[in-house]
Amino acid sequence: MMPEAILVLTHTDEAGSSLTKSSLETVTAGKTLADRLETPLVIGILATDSNAAAKSLPGLNARILGVSGEAFEKPQYAADVAACEALCNAAQATVILAPQSSRMARVAAGLAHRISGSIDTHITSIQGDEAIEVTRWLYRQRIEATITRSVRPWILLIEGGVCAAYEGHEGEGELEQVAVELPELRTNVIGTRAPAHSGQTIRPDAKMLFVAGAGWTKKQADGQVHAGEAGELILSFLQKTSASLGSSKSLVDQGGDGQPVLPFLSHMNQVGQTGATPRHPKGLATCCHGEEPHVVGWRFITERRAISLDPNCGWARGKADVVYIADAFKVIAKVNELLALKA
Amino acid sequence: MNRMKETAGSCAPEIERPTLEADIACVGFGPAMGGFLTTLNRAWMANPADPMFESKVAAGLPLQVLCYERADDIAAGVSGVVTAAQGIRGSFPDLNLADISMAAPVTSERILYLLDPIGASRRPLTLRIADRVLRALNGTLGVRDHAYELPWSPRFLHKTGGLVMSIGQFNQWVGTQIMASGLVQIWPGMPVSQPLFAQNFERTGDQVVGIRLTDQGVEKNGEPGAAYVAGIDVRARLTVIGDGPFGSVGRAIDQRMGMPSGHDKREWALGMKFVIELPEETALKAGTVWHTFGYPEPAIFGFLYVHPERLASVGIFVPSWLGDPSRTVYRYLQHYIQHPALWRHLRDGKLRSWGAKSLDESGQHGEPFLVGDGYARIGEGSGSTNMLAGSGVDEAWTTGVQLAEAVLELLRNQRSFTQENLAAIYEARRRASWVEQNARNAINARNGFHLGFVPGIIGMAIAGMTGGTISLGANIPPAHKQIKKKQGKSKDDLTRAEVAKLVVDDGRPLHDAMMSARGWPEIVFDGKLLVSQQDALMLGGKVQAMPGFADHLVFRDAGLCIQCDEKTCIAMCSGQALTSGSGDIPVFEREKCVHCGACIWNCTQITGEGLTNIEFRAGVGGLHSAEN
Amino acid sequence: MSLHIVVCAGIVPDPLQTLEPIAGPNGPALKNEMMLPAVLDPWAASALYEAATLVSKFPGSRLWLVSLGPKAKLQQVMMTIAQKVTFELVAVDSASNGFADASATASALASGIAAIPDLDRTKLLLFGGWESASRGAGVTLQTVGELLGITDQFAGVDQIDMREDGSFEVLERVEGGKHQASVCAGAPAVLGWATGNLPEPHNNPQIGMANMRTVMPALQRAKQAALTNDGQQYLSASLPSQQRQTRVVRDLAPDAIAQELVEWIRTQ
Ligand SMILES: Cc1cc2nc3c(=O)[nH]c(=O)nc-3n(C[C@H](O)[C@H](O)[C@H](O)COP(=O)(O)OP(=O)(O)OC[C@H]3O[C@@H](n4cnc5c(N)ncnc54)[C@H](O)[C@@H]3O)c2cc1C
Ligand SMILES: Cc1cc2nc3c(=O)[nH]c(=O)nc-3n(C[C@H](O)[C@H](O)[C@H](O)COP(=O)(O)OP(=O)(O)OC[C@H]3O[C@@H](n4cnc5c(N)ncnc54)[C@H](O)[C@@H]3O)c2cc1C
Ligand code: SF4
Ligand code: SF4
């Protein structure tokens, strides 16, 4: 088999000075692969000033190539694809890794076409003993496949969070500038816009998802509904943990006519088959039964815990890691108390 | 929510609607319409230039034939199916079963009487004695796995030469061929809200002049929203109604035109089924057909049909004459598949799909006027289903074929679609055919069940064996009266209050709790074959409804719900789309409704106009399974 | 100003179906694939609705839908989609599914587009989904764009504002829930759509009937395309295990549970 040569394409963040986290993660992926295959590693940097950006890579034993210029300040297809093409030509790699960032995802397939290579995206792991085998998901995260390819160059876009970000210490590598011939640029990036967020919708960057189920507004042991108290407990928890707020369909539907039972909830909060499928490292379900239509929305919640009164609820049947059979009113009140103490 | 509303349409403001002219407008795409359109399409393709296929409404264009189906896909039906396929084979003499997924020829048939291995079913004394005798004679009679196989099967049940199929796959196969010609259009996801009536000037009474499609861009309560689009009026020379047992168009016509004297749709059953992937080492061969009775309740009939590739359809029919308002069919089905005779084969299987739908079991008792000026009825809604044999697909198909033949003849002779002309050819053809013959044999076959299970079985056997000449007479009450208002005293003399407590403690549906209290063991979920009802809704083609349509279920009078103790509508709801909510009026969630139609005949209360309290209109969505 | 919009949209199994991979003769396939009802790929469908809206705003514009898939399934999907917006269909008959190689799909699509009579490439906006719901790769549309020589490309588009001079502003999805705004001088360009802003159009039987005059002939004309696999080999395709090993904690006091939870919340 022909020896592989590996190139990692990276780019800077919005500020333009340092490499993005996902770029640094991909550097780790590239380094691991190069070490395993005992082949040289090349890094390519796309930045206004790639020399400055190379400072994000101390102590990396690799050849570093860079393209620099105002044209690369903002992501844009025509300039980016030309830059990547120039880096690839300079590196002559067989395997090209890049982060699955919006910037790289916009150009990677076009790049593959230009360098007569093949491409796979959304890679969640790179394995294999001798050959390179990658895994990715198909059919909206429902089928997991392991793929290999014979065509080279082979471009792989690596999902965020698959590797730790590269962290080096001493020593700076020498950067070689690569010239890019730019076509006439017909697109002008004018900036980014943050969508108007209402207060308590699902927050994509939160560490944790908190799901409130319909049990919060059901009659409790004393035969009464305690919606007011439920609302306070939930909001207090959110405020203390900065968790993202999700809900079951049953609970948000209650707000359907007239006054919502918990006024801060809307259909925007619904998690599940007919709602959202958020991504968070942790999730806590409270007063929710864990029916399948709801739990399909938890596909990307890594660690799952639930508090429910019902030992036969869905969570207890293999849908959560831990289920506490307990009264969520009592547990969350105490949790809030402890969080307040320790904060 | 949309709890109180006047009767359909009566308060709807008159608005300008777009109209469309067609020659033939068709409602619903089931086997009946499949038979109709296949026959029409085939004649047309054989000679497209024939002037008889020129449109009368669009000059210079061919016949405009438009078919509208409520469900999101033409493959979304629910049925058994085992069928003798006499009519279907007639239409496809060179039928190659390999072309239709999940179809197999019938290879063996058994009838099993299932004993109750648990002791929770409600068996009358006579039956309990009979059961004891059976068990005592076990060795001689060959009772195995608590099941007794009848040594012979009555002729009316024979499906020799017949087929085991999936209705979804069959309809998809038929529909694809029809559409490929480009002559006929079948539009799914488009409910027909009502027939268009017009005064008939040549005689007293009304004629049907087309159909109105459902309004879109409306709120749940039907109020126009921002993106309101009024449903189109499709004006047609002939309207063909094949909307099944409880289609809203058929029911509107029944209401407007009345029913033939003495006819009424009073007997119903909810059919619910699982499609199960059998374990790899299964001994069941494709084409195997089992009919069962006796368990989980004596009056519940069941079936197991085996498709190719280790798939089986297993289901039960819970009839209106069961009486008991605790009719949680899903739970019954879970007990059914665990009966030792079935469980032996199903145990390590995997649930792939699930579905439910009502059957009009009134047969000819419920036959409406088959034709009228401008319209004709085909399929189950026209009373074609044969209750004695539990067979409706081939009958429906054949009525469709018969109507198409009549239509072709009328077109050829340039005659119009009047009641007389349609009656003279379509109705006459139908009356002279095997469909009518079998329906007559079956007409009173099930009457005995209103007297009890044992008279029911005897009556059915006699009717079957004598070709219907002898059968038990019975005075059949309307469906809502068949529901027993008072809970039968169960073993533990349960009071509703006790059960209610169970419900609050466990947080689960009332009727489910009731069954547990009556001695039915709890279902132990295994996540493969035994899953919660909500989980089943998510399997193999889940339930969904597009936004922008009005709720299709409306409670006519909220006051009646408040008074209602039984709330059978909730117990019987296949999709758990009707739930108790927090007040006394059930809550309806359109997104979970599978359009099984059970709520229509499971409401115990009657409004001032003599209608049950649930108004069920044409709606979109429902199951997306193509395997049922 | 008028536009020529070509929307590339594949078909995928109705997302409500249970999917299961099996080993087919040419790599993995879906179990009972031909039995599963299909729908127009959702993101590509938003592209189609956006395109129809644009076309209606600029008189003289035209809209083609280029769809590659098994003919019988295409026909079935068209019965729904043709009720929604007006388009001219270009059908390519191919046994494609999520396991097929994206670049092979792209070449089949590009040749389908190149063969469209009357297509004016200077007015061409190539639309599609930024990813498919089957392969989910985000590769197809970009490659078609390259094959047609279009170098202004946008991915994850949620909005386009077309100006009278033919230039337009687009919003593309970027990290952190934000949008990147760009102004492009005009056609030709490639826009891979995310969800956009338009609701799914109602089913309109009149539109359906008008479309059918071209849809059925287009299906009958559909050319067969065999897809190559570009050296791609599947070593496995499997369903993830859904079941977790759940620890059910029954008899712990609320305070103790709270303690355990707070520790869990605080761990990194
Ligand atoms: C087609 C379809 C699509 C659907 N889509 C979605 C979807 O996208 N998202 C979704 O969420 N659902 C969806 N559903 C509905 C879903 O099946 C469930 O009905 C819903 O998730 C139930 O919500 P829940 O668990 O909050 O309520 P419930 O089922 O009412 O459960 C409440 C739970 O709270 C517990 N409880 C009560 N009081 C307490 C207390 N003090 N402490 C602890 N526990 C308590 C009870 O024991 C019970 O387990 C869908 C259903 C269908 C059919
Ligand atoms: C569980 C079960 C098992 C069965 N087993 C068997 C069996 O083994 N053998 C057998 O022969 N028969 C069986 N049957 C009966 C058989 O399925 C029916 O008799 C047959 O499907 C009737 O055909 P049809 O065309 O008249 O109506 P349907 O199949 O009901 O078709 C009517 C169509 O009209 C549509 N529709 C309704 N209202 C509207 C509207 N307003 N606008 C537009 N469209 C509308 C419906 O969605 C439906 O697709 C079974 C039925 C069930 C429920
Ligand atoms: S059975 Fe009828 S009256 Fe009773 S709750 Fe249901 S809809 Fe209302
Ligand atoms: S509400 Fe829908 S699912 Fe429930 S019984 Fe009525 S038709 Fe069936």
Side-chain angles (χ1 to χ4, degrees):
Chain A
M1 209 185 333
M2 203 180 79
E4 305 281 12
I6 293 159
L7 167 68
V8 177
L9 291 174
T10 62
H11 60 89
T12 46
D13 54 21
E14 250 183 272
S17 49
S18 49
L19 296 180
T20 60
K21 179 162 173 257
S22 62
S23 292
L24 292 172
E25 289 172 3
T26 314
V27 169
T28 306
K31 188 172 177 325
T32 316
L33 183 65
D35 288 350
R36 171 158 73 74
L37 300 177
E38 296 170 4
T39 58
L41 174 67
V42 184
I43 307 289
I45 300 178
L46 184 66
T48 331
D49 176 358
S50 46
N51 262 318
K55 296 205 167 55
S56 309
L57 299 171
L60 185 69
N61 180 19
R63 180 180 168 211
I64 302 180
L65 306 173
V67 296
S68 301
E70 288 307 315
F72 311 118
E73 185 195 345
K74 302 254 166 62
Q76 202 245 75
Y77 184 85
D80 284 1
V81 75
C84 290
E85 188 182 356
L87 288 169
C88 287
N89 288 339
Q92 287 298 315
T94 57
V95 177
I96 298 154
L97 308 187
Q100 182 79 46
S101 58
S102 61
R103 184 165 198 169
M104 283 299 169
R106 187 183 297 104
V107 297
L111 172 66
H113 175 78
R114 291 190 183 189
I115 62 174
S116 305
S118 59
I119 175 163
D120 284 290
T121 60
H122 292 291
I123 302 302
T124 50
S125 79
I126 305 179
Q127 309 151 345
D129 296 329
E130 275 155 41
I132 300 175
E133 298 169 4
V134 297
T135 55
R136 60 163 310 214
W137 292 82
L138 293 120
Y139 289 96
R140 291 252 168 108
Q141 278 71 38
R142 288 158 81 181
I143 293 176
E144 190 176 27
T146 308
I147 307 171
T148 184
R149 287 199 192 244
S150 53
V151 172
R152 296 289 183 274
W154 186 14
I155 302 178
L156 296 167
L157 294 191
I158 314 293
E159 275 290 349
V162 168
C163 297
Y166 174 77
E167 268 180 90
H169 302 290
E170 306 290 289
E172 238 169 73
E174 186 81 358
L175 183 130
E176 303 164 36
Q177 286 292 345
V178 174
V180 188
E181 207 172 304
L182 286 179
E184 179 207 352
L185 297 182
R186 301 171 68 244
T187 293
N188 182 19
V189 179
I190 53 180
T192 56
R193 289 181 198 162
H197 263 311
S198 72
Q200 291 293 351
T201 53
I202 293 175
R203 303 192 346 226
D205 298 329
K207 294 257 181 325
M208 180 169 172
L209 172 73
F210 177 87
V211 159
W216 282 108
T217 57
K218 292 241 164 98
K219 282 189 188 136
Q220 294 298 314
D222 60 359
Q224 304 295 316
V225 172
H226 298 271
E229 189 188 334
E232 280 164 29
L233 286 173
I234 295 168
L235 289 179
S236 159
F237 180 88
L238 293 176
Q239 187 242 326
K240 293 189 171 69
T241 55
S242 305
S244 173
L245 175 61
S247 172
S248 72
K249 184 172 183 308
S250 296
L251 185 56
V252 292
D253 279 353
Q254 287 176 0
D257 50 16
Q259 275 300 303
V261 187
L262 295 178
F264 48 85
L265 280 174
S266 77
H267 281 97
M268 294 293 286
N269 296 89
Q270 184 184 319
V271 171
Q273 194 230 323
T274 44
T277 308
R279 286 174 190 259
H280 301 281
K282 287 178 199 158
L284 176 63
T286 53
C287 296
C288 167
H289 202 76
E291 299 280 11
E292 182 64 16
H294 174 75
V295 183
V296 292
W298 282 62
R299 198 175 292 141
F300 303 118
I301 309 295
T302 322
E303 291 179 39
R304 306 174 183 177
R305 296 197 180 193
I307 311 170
S308 170
L309 282 175
D310 187 352
N312 202 22
C313 68
W315 301 112
R317 281 178 274 117
K319 289 176 177 162
D321 305 309
V322 185
V323 183
Y324 302 98
I325 308 304
D327 183 342
F329 279 86
K330 294 195 183 130
V331 176
I332 297 298
K334 187 68 187 173
V335 166
N336 287 343
E337 203 182 301
L338 291 174
L339 287 171
L341 271 182
K342 292 195 187 166
Chain B
M1 250 164 253
N2 188 18
R3 278 164 193 161
M4 288 215 269
K5 263 270 146 137
E6 304 281 331
T7 18
S10 64
C11 63
E14 268 317 309
I15 36 161
E16 273 294 304
R17 286 176 185 275
T19 52
L20 209 123
E21 300 288 332
D23 294 282
I24 304 180
C26 307
V27 186
F29 187 79
M33 202 58 77
F36 175 73
L37 293 176
T38 298
T39 311
L40 185 68
N41 196 46
R42 213 176 267 165
W44 192 353
M45 272 165 59
N47 194 359
D50 190 325
M52 76 189 248
F53 294 118
E54 274 170 22
S55 172
K56 289 263 187 325
V57 298
L61 288 181
L63 215 56
Q64 301 288 299
V65 183
L66 303 172
C67 175
Y68 299 98
E69 165 56 46
R70 181 204 70 67
D72 294 340
D73 197 286
I74 57 170
V78 179
S79 184
V81 182
V82 65
T83 171
Q86 192 178 337
I88 293 171
R89 282 196 190 272
S91 297
F92 302 101
D94 306 320
L95 185 68
N96 176 7
L97 287 188
D99 295 343
I100 313 174
S101 304
M102 292 177 77
V106 172
T107 50
S108 70
E109 280 182 275
R110 300 171 78 193
I111 302 180
L112 298 178
Y113 170 63
L114 302 180
L115 295 158
D116 177 2
I118 287 170
S121 76
R122 308 180 152 194
R123 297 173 116 71
L125 183 66
T126 38
L127 200 61
R128 272 184 272 146
I129 295 171
D131 287 359
R132 214 164 292 155
V133 173
L134 270 181
R135 284 190 204 276
L137 295 177
N138 183 353
T140 354
L141 290 177
V143 175
R144 188 169 171 227
D145 292 337
H146 299 267
Y148 169 64
E149 179 172 353
L150 265 54
W152 51 268
S153 68
R155 204 165 45 84
F156 62 84
L157 272 180
H158 283 186
K159 301 285 190 301
T160 330
L163 311 173
V164 169
M165 303 195 296
S166 139
I167 196 83
Q169 290 306 310
F170 177 67
N171 284 347
Q172 181 166 305
W173 177 74
V174 171
T176 307
Q177 295 183 66
I178 296 171
M179 286 188 283
S181 75
L183 299 174
V184 173
Q185 298 176 11
I186 305 169
W187 299 108
M190 185 48 76
V192 177
S193 83
Q194 61 199 86
L196 296 174
F197 296 107
Q199 206 190 335
N200 196 339
F201 292 108
E202 277 143 45
R203 64 172 120 237
T204 51
D206 291 322
Q207 57 179 336
V208 172
V209 293
I211 51 179
R212 173 168 296 170
L213 306 179
T214 312
D215 289 353
Q216 298 175 63
V218 291
E219 307 292 335
K220 279 183 167 187
N221 63 5
E223 297 291 332
Y228 177 68
V229 186
I232 291 179
D233 282 349
V234 181
R235 304 202 146 253
R237 295 155 62 204
L238 173 67
T239 301
V240 179
I241 297 132
D243 60 355
F246 50 86
S248 53
V249 178
R251 281 185 296 127
I253 290 186
D254 290 346
Q255 247 183 39
R256 180 79 162 234
M257 304 293 190
M259 293 282 277
S261 150
H263 285 206
D264 194 7
K265 295 185 196 264
R266 297 188 160 192
E267 289 170 288
W268 295 92
L270 179 68
M272 188 181 280
K273 70 178 282 193
F274 287 154
V275 177
I276 297 174
E277 189 174 312
L278 297 168
E280 257 166 60
E281 62 288 356
T282 186
L284 294 175
K285 301 238 158 23
T288 301
V289 172
W290 294 7
H291 308 280
T292 74
F293 63 107
Y295 183 83
E297 297 290 356
I300 296 180
F301 289 66
F303 62 86
L304 178 150
Y305 308 146
V306 185
H307 306 276
E309 298 188 26
R310 281 196 290 115
L311 288 180
S313 284
V314 186
I316 54 173
F317 299 102
V318 173
S320 50
W321 62 82
L322 185 69
D324 185 357
S326 297
R327 300 171 163 189
T328 311
V329 185
Y330 185 77
R331 174 90 185 257
Y332 271 135
L333 180 53
Q334 289 185 316
H335 289 299
Y336 176 69
I337 63 168
Q338 292 184 80
H339 186 283
L342 289 105
W343 198 235
R344 161 192 290 279
H345 298 280
L346 304 178
R347 187 170 28 225
D348 294 316
K350 197 169 110 201
L351 187 56
R352 281 180 51 115
S353 174
W354 163 93
K357 181 172 166 246
S358 293
L359 284 101
D360 174 359
E361 298 235 320
S362 334
Q364 281 209 327
H365 284 303
E367 188 187 280
F369 293 111
L370 295 181
V371 296
D373 285 327
Y375 78 91
R377 310 277 298 259
I378 54 176
E380 189 158 312
S382 73
S384 61
T385 297
N386 181 334
M387 281 356 295
L388 187 55
S391 167
V393 171
D394 202 32
E395 288 74 4
W397 177 273
T398 305
T399 59
V401 172
Q402 289 163 345
L403 178 63
E405 288 167 349
V407 166
L408 288 167
E409 200 171 318
L410 291 174
L411 287 172
R412 193 172 301 119
N413 299 325
Q414 303 221 359
R415 292 169 63 199
S416 56
F417 300 114
T418 59
Q419 191 207 330
E420 286 80 8
N421 290 347
L422 289 164
I425 313 181
Y426 165 53
E427 192 167 346
R429 241 173 233 271
R430 183 161 159 177
R431 297 274 178 240
S433 72
W434 61 267
V435 178
E436 174 81 5
Q437 182 58 42
N438 291 357
R440 292 231 154 271
N441 293 352
I443 187 161
N444 289 319
R446 289 199 175 186
N447 289 356
F449 285 105
H450 295 274
L451 305 171
F453 173 71
V454 176
I457 286 292
I458 295 172
M460 200 165 148
I462 296 176
M465 285 181 297
T466 61
T469 31
I470 309 180
S471 54
L472 300 184
N475 188 7
I476 303 167
H480 72 273
K481 289 215 170 122
Q482 295 172 39
I483 303 170
K484 294 205 180 71
K485 294 280 160 78
K486 277 229 178 68
Q487 274 295 302
K489 292 249 162 154
S490 66
K491 291 186 199 128
D492 319 306
D493 222 0
L494 268 178
T495 62
R496 286 190 85 75
E498 277 171 74
V499 178
K501 188 169 173 306
L502 258 173
V503 172
V504 175
D505 292 351
D506 288 21
R508 52 184 180 147
L510 175 73
H511 301 86
D512 192 46
M514 200 85 109
M515 280 184 71
S516 303
R518 261 207 254 121
W520 288 100
E522 292 298 335
I523 304 289
V524 182
F525 296 131
D526 61 9
K528 270 182 73 191
L529 195 47
L530 299 169
V531 302
S532 77
Q533 185 162 355
Q534 291 279 306
D535 285 6
L537 287 178
M538 289 292 100
L539 273 166
K542 296 122 189 145
V543 189
Q544 205 180 44
M546 281 254 290
F549 289 84
D551 273 352
H552 53 271
L553 186 151
V554 175
F555 303 102
R556 295 182 207 265
D557 176 354
L560 284 176
C561 292
I562 295 172
Q563 289 165 27
C564 170
D565 269 344
E566 294 75 20
K567 299 213 168 21
T568 322
C569 62
I570 297 177
M572 198 70 177
C573 177
S574 308
Q576 292 185 331
L578 287 166
T579 47
S580 358
S582 44
D584 285 319
I585 308 164
V587 176
F588 174 63
E589 284 172 87
R590 181 155 58 91
E591 295 77 12
K592 294 190 197 167
C593 176
V594 299
H595 295 259
C596 72
C599 48
I600 302 173
W601 52 274
N602 276 286
C603 173
T604 52
Q605 308 292 312
I606 294 294
T607 64
E609 300 107 348
L611 302 163
T612 57
N613 199 23
I614 285 185
E615 186 187 330
F616 198 83
R617 303 172 181 171
V620 276
L623 275 173
H624 276 220
S625 171
E627 296 189 349
N628 291 324
Chain C
M1 199 225 10
S2 64
L3 300 166
H4 280 185
I5 308 186
V6 171
V7 179
C8 295
I11 55 174
V12 294
D14 172 342
L16 302 181
Q17 302 300 314
T18 304
L19 303 182
E20 203 182 318
I22 50 163
N26 313 309
L30 288 181
K31 187 164 180 175
N32 301 323
E33 185 154 11
M34 287 310 283
M35 261 167 65
L36 301 172
V39 297
L40 200 68
D41 201 321
W43 277 314
S46 15
L48 178 66
Y49 309 148
E50 296 280 349
T53 309
L54 274 180
V55 163
S56 67
K57 280 190 200 151
F58 296 92
S61 298
R62 288 178 70 177
L63 170 56
W64 289 270
L65 172 64
V66 181
S67 195
L68 175 139
K71 198 159 147 178
K73 287 273 141 193
L74 282 178
Q75 176 188 312
Q76 185 195 339
V77 172
M78 286 310 138
M79 292 315 289
T80 304
I81 221 67
Q83 295 188 68
K84 298 192 181 286
V85 296
T86 306
F87 56 78
E88 296 167 66
L89 178 70
V90 177
V92 185
D93 185 9
S94 157
S96 95
N97 62 18
F99 300 103
D101 188 56
S103 52
T105 309
S107 5
L109 286 171
S111 20
I113 295 167
I116 297 177
D118 314 331
L119 179 70
D120 181 345
R121 297 231 193 155
T122 63
K123 296 181 175 175
L124 174 61
L125 291 184
L126 181 65
F127 276 26
W130 66 330
E131 289 184 352
S132 68
S134 50
R135 191 160 35 231
V139 168
T140 314
L141 201 65
Q142 261 179 52
T143 315
V144 177
E146 282 286 329
L147 286 165
L148 298 175
I150 307 175
T151 55
D152 286 277
Q153 297 211 16
F154 304 90
V157 175
D158 271 332
Q159 193 172 313
I160 179 168
D161 288 312
M162 203 74 206
R163 302 165 176 174
E164 278 304 326
D165 65 355
S167 69
F168 56 85
E169 186 181 316
V170 284
L171 293 186
E172 293 170 278
R173 288 191 183 177
V174 294
E175 282 73 13
K178 289 190 235 168
H179 281 121
Q180 169 169 300
S182 314
V183 175
C184 176
V190 175
L191 282 84
W193 283 84
T195 41
N197 289 316
L198 299 175
E200 185 166 337
H202 300 306
N203 289 345
N204 182 332
Q206 282 168 313
I207 293 183
M209 286 179 69
N211 273 333
M212 272 307 126
R213 301 203 183 104
T214 59
V215 165
M216 280 302 165
L219 282 167
Q220 280 152 3
R221 271 198 311 272
K223 286 214 183 70
Q224 267 200 322
L227 302 183
T228 54
N229 74 358
D230 204 10
Q232 171 188 246
Q233 190 196 340
Y234 281 88
L235 302 171
S236 72
S238 58
L239 293 175
S241 152
Q242 304 275 345
Q243 295 289 101
R244 291 176 180 233
Q245 288 299 331
T246 309
R247 175 163 67 92
V248 182
V249 182
R250 279 166 201 270
D251 302 311
L252 208 56
D255 286 10
I257 295 175
Q259 192 71 43
E260 201 178 305
L261 275 173
V262 169
E263 274 159 32
W264 173 66
I265 292 167
R266 293 188 177 236
T267 52
Q268 276 303 307

